[in-house]
């Protein structure tokens, strides 16, 4: 299906790109977010193995399953896709692919992080806006991880 709709957020994290990338390249990193209850990798997969599948459980009861599609250390880019959850009756959207990329900011020795998802055309505007707010919140939390 054609990917056509994007939710995107970006921020500057006050830490060197190597330190930020060390966190982002581990597929279980969302476990650090306040709203997340748990992140489990299926079949004992390594968190840096392409093809690994993680199940995220939020404290509000939401559950998502995601598969690691790409991990590029040279380009500091991690990519995952939404994966179907068995027995789930409906999904808000039929396809979603997320990219998180870290760039070195030489001026301040900090890191510019971009977090975006391309959704299939059946995504609803309200969902898209909510996702975008969530990514902004995630990036805001990440700043705190490094500012202490």
């Amino acid at each position: 299906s054609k990917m056509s709709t994007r939710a995107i957020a970006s921020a500057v994290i006050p830490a060197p790109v190597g330190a930020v990338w060390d966190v982002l390249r581990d597929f279980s990193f969302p476990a650090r977010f306040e709203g997340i209850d748990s992140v489990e990798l299926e079949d004992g997969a390594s968190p840096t193995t392409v093809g690994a599948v993680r199940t995220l459980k939020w404290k509000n009861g939401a559950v998502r399953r995601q598969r690691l599609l790409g991990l590029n250390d040279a380009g500091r880019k991690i990519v995952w896709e939404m994966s179907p959850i068995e027995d789930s009756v409906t999904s808000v959207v039929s396809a979603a692919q997320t990219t998180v990329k870290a760039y070195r900011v030489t001026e301040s020795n900090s890191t510019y992080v971009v977090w975006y998802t391309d959704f299939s055309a059946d995504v609803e505007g309200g969902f898209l806006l909510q996702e975008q707010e969530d990514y902004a919140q995630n990036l805001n939390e990440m700043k705190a991880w490094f500012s202490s």
Side-chain angles (χ1 to χ4, degrees):
S1 63
K2 189 174 175 291
M3 295 286 194
S4 62
T5 319
R6 178 173 285 191
I8 183 165
S10 59
V12 174
I13 309 293
V17 71
V20 175
W21 178 242
D22 275 349
V23 169
L24 289 175
R25 71 184 301 278
D26 182 319
F27 199 41
S28 62
F29 82 87
R32 298 178 65 162
F33 292 126
E34 281 173 28
I36 297 279
D37 190 42
S38 68
V39 176
E40 271 183 49
L41 289 159
E42 294 181 12
D43 304 321
S46 148
T48 52
T49 301
V50 170
V53 175
R54 70 182 176 196
T55 298
L56 291 87
K57 292 180 181 167
W58 275 260
K59 289 173 181 166
N60 68 7
V63 178
R64 284 191 196 176
R65 212 166 153 255
Q66 299 166 338
R67 180 182 309 275
L68 183 59
L69 289 183
L71 184 65
N72 179 337
D73 282 315
R76 299 189 193 91
K77 180 171 81 165
I78 184 169
V79 182
W80 62 83
E81 67 178 352
M82 188 181 69
S83 201
I85 296 177
E86 286 72 16
D87 306 326
S88 88
V89 188
T90 58
S91 173
V92 184
V93 62
S94 55
Q97 184 171 306
T98 300
T99 300
V100 180
K101 201 163 170 7
Y103 299 86
R104 182 191 309 274
V105 179
T106 57
E107 180 189 44
S108 51
N109 193 26
S110 54
T111 305
Y112 176 66
V113 176
V114 183
W115 187 313
Y116 64 88
T117 301
D118 289 311
F119 294 97
S120 45
D122 58 350
V123 68
E124 290 182 4
F127 179 73
L128 207 65
L129 283 172
Q130 182 58 55
E131 286 290 291
Q132 205 152 273
E133 282 176 22
D134 289 349
Y135 306 160
Q137 174 62 35
N138 290 349
L139 292 170
N140 210 35
E141 279 189 44
M142 283 180 63
K143 288 183 187 183
W145 299 351
F146 294 99
S147 63
S148 47

